[in-house]
Amino acid sequence: MVWISRICCRKYGNFVDNLRLYVRGGSGGMGVPRLGGHGGDGGDVWLVSRKGVTLRQIKNRHPDKRFTGGVGADSSVQALKGEKGKDCEVFVPPGISVTTDEGKVIAVLNALGDRVCVAKGGRGGSLHSGFLPSKGQIRQIRLDLKLIADMGLVGFPNAGKSTLLTALSHAQTRIASYPFTTVRPEIGMVMYDDHKQVSVADLPGLIEGAHMNKGLGHKFLKHVERIRQLLIVVDVCGFQLADSTPLRSAFQTLHLLIRELRLYNKELLRKHVVLIINKMDLPDADEKLHEFLHQLENHHDFSHLLPDDATPEHFLKFQHIVPVSASTGVGIPLLKRLLRTSLEEQDAMATENQREDKLQELRRLQSTMSQWALTGPTVDTPHT
């Protein structure tokens, strides 16, 4: 097991989701006092979101992780106004949060083409500075990647998430019969006949205590934050991490997963959630499914089966509950349809909420205007 863990950590090293950079704006150019010439401003350092870029590529191509803007040109007889130094553009993947070392957020780049200046170039020498240039801004910044996907597969190790992603999409994930097969996030695209696409992220398996950063808890849980809907995947036969750990039933496994999400960030459970009950091809799966569904329907009667800290105040409501067998394909076509339906329901709800907000804003404005028409504007008269 130790040998497997070493392999996992080494493989995860190929996926980089956090990077620290040194950025410095270029210095300004010298001015010319006798001619009143202005030196050119130094170049800025920009981060630009671009498709197909990874933080790993940045790390490999720029081992020193230093980015500097160009120096502004000095003023001269031929050019009294010196040219601006060349800007330095650093291409980054979408989904990047840019922060200082202290954790202050500078910007968030979600959409392709989003850009932010992270280090301003120095001003060129001019009359106001005695024709002496200033140096560019210097910063240490952190790039923190959080995956952006429509849906994210969440579950304990060996729940069959990788097999499920392969069955749903064309993603080629590493699959094996032991826990911790997935050691880095993968994204697959579910394709529909009308060319509609739904992105699904396979997040590495959690363990109990992930919310306290056990294992690689925070590295994985943070990717859930920007995913629109959660796909919780549970093995119908339950889960056992190792021989020394207890065998959890599907009912217990589900609520332990929910506990990890709640304790990491309770806002995650405000997302739409689809429950996928996997491995329906196993022996006695139908019987176990019936028992699991009965426990879900009468959850208060079975809360004594859960650890004290896994008993929720309010039991989670699922958008859909779908039994499938990822390895044989049973239930996969239905799941594909329900994933799209669930997203469309969420979009319709968001549109309706926006419409209601606009109507309320118009009513408030109309009420204010009506009140103003009845009373007239308030005019403050000066005291004599």
Side-chain angles (χ1 to χ4, degrees):
M1 189 63 193
V2 174
W3 179 74
I4 292 175
S5 299
R6 284 210 307 266
I7 292 178
C8 290
C9 291
R10 198 160 54 237
K11 285 286 185 182
Y12 185 81
N14 292 329
F15 178 76
V16 178
D17 57 6
N18 190 283
L19 205 58
R20 187 170 185 261
L21 304 181
Y22 170 91
V23 292
R24 188 185 71 195
S27 298
M30 290 289 296
V32 179
R34 63 187 178 86
L35 299 176
H38 288 206
D41 293 339
D44 306 323
V45 181
W46 292 81
L47 300 183
V48 184
S49 177
R50 174 179 281 188
K51 185 178 181 180
V53 179
T54 66
L55 293 185
R56 182 73 184 181
Q57 291 172 347
I58 298 174
K59 184 177 180 181
N60 289 342
R61 293 171 184 171
H62 307 276
D64 57 354
K65 300 186 285 294
R66 297 171 68 92
F67 298 91
T68 307
V71 176
D74 294 337
S75 174
S76 65
V77 175
Q78 292 80 14
L80 290 179
K81 174 62 177 175
E83 287 189 11
K84 184 180 186 297
K86 185 177 180 181
D87 289 344
C88 174
E89 290 189 335
V90 184
F91 296 109
V92 298
I96 286 289
S97 291
V98 187
T99 64
T100 63
D101 277 344
E102 293 75 30
K104 181 181 178 181
V105 177
I106 299 171
V108 178
L109 307 181
N110 282 335
L112 294 175
D114 282 355
R115 55 193 292 126
V116 61
C117 179
V118 291
K120 293 285 293 180
R123 300 296 298 239
S126 66
L127 177 64
H128 300 291
S129 64
F131 297 96
L132 296 176
S134 61
K135 294 183 178 180
Q137 183 182 17
I138 296 177
R139 261 179 166 174
Q140 302 277 359
I141 61 171
R142 291 186 179 274
L143 308 183
D144 189 36
L145 175 65
K146 295 179 182 178
L147 295 180
I148 301 176
D150 294 317
M151 296 184 156
L153 297 168
V154 179
F156 283 135
N158 220 27
K161 300 184 302 298
S162 298
T163 307
L164 184 59
L165 183 65
T166 301
L168 286 170
S169 69
H170 299 291
Q172 296 299 313
T173 58
R174 183 181 170 210
I175 301 169
S177 59
Y178 52 83
F180 303 111
T181 304
T182 303
V183 291
R184 60 177 184 152
E186 302 277 357
I187 293 184
M189 301 300 296
V190 182
M191 310 291 293
Y192 294 88
D193 293 338
D194 60 354
H195 305 293
K196 168 75 174 178
Q197 298 183 21
V198 172
S199 56
V200 179
D202 175 18
L203 305 176
L206 302 177
I207 62 171
E208 292 184 48
H211 69 279
M212 296 184 294
N213 209 21
K214 287 187 178 180
L216 294 174
H218 288 183
K219 273 186 172 289
F220 300 154
L221 281 168
K222 72 174 186 178
H223 291 294
V224 181
E225 294 179 17
R226 291 189 188 173
I227 287 170
R228 294 180 61 193
Q229 295 193 12
L230 301 181
L231 305 179
I232 294 184
V233 185
V234 175
D235 185 335
V236 70
C237 294
F239 170 67
Q240 185 176 23
L241 181 63
D243 293 338
S244 58
T245 59
L247 173 64
R248 307 289 194 181
S249 69
F251 182 72
Q252 293 170 322
T253 300
L254 171 64
H255 285 92
L256 288 171
L257 274 170
I258 293 173
R259 179 189 66 176
E260 295 302 324
L261 295 173
R262 184 183 74 248
L263 294 177
Y264 174 73
N265 183 353
K266 62 182 180 182
E267 293 299 315
L268 295 178
L269 298 180
R270 294 183 181 273
K271 296 178 183 287
H272 288 229
V273 181
V274 175
L275 175 60
I276 302 173
I277 306 172
N278 195 19
K279 303 192 180 181
M280 288 302 300
D281 54 302
L282 295 179
D284 302 325
D286 290 334
E287 180 181 339
K288 291 182 181 297
L289 173 64
H290 179 76
E291 178 185 3
F292 185 24
L293 294 177
H294 177 68
Q295 290 172 332
L296 288 177
E297 188 176 351
N298 304 277
H299 45 73
H300 290 292
D301 297 335
F302 294 94
S303 57
H304 65 279
L305 299 176
L306 305 175
D308 291 338
D309 59 349
T311 304
E313 295 179 7
H314 305 286
F315 283 84
L316 197 61
K317 181 180 179 181
F318 301 103
Q319 299 301 117
H320 303 280
I321 299 177
V322 194
V324 302
S325 169
S327 60
T328 65
V330 172
I332 296 300
L334 172 62
L335 178 59
K336 283 186 177 182
R337 292 196 299 272
L338 289 178
L339 295 186
R340 180 169 180 173
T341 299
S342 184
L343 286 172
E344 289 173 348
E345 290 171 349
Q346 182 179 0
D347 291 338
M349 186 181 300
T351 301
E352 181 62 23
N353 290 339
Q354 288 177 359
R355 190 181 74 85
E356 284 294 328
D357 290 342
K358 288 182 178 179
L359 281 175
Q360 289 181 8
E361 186 178 347
L362 286 172
R363 290 190 187 106
R364 285 195 298 268
L365 180 60
Q366 186 178 19
S367 176
T368 303
M369 294 297 291
S370 298
Q371 186 178 4
W372 182 85
L374 291 172
T375 61
T378 302
V379 179
D380 294 326
T381 57
H383 295 285
T384 58

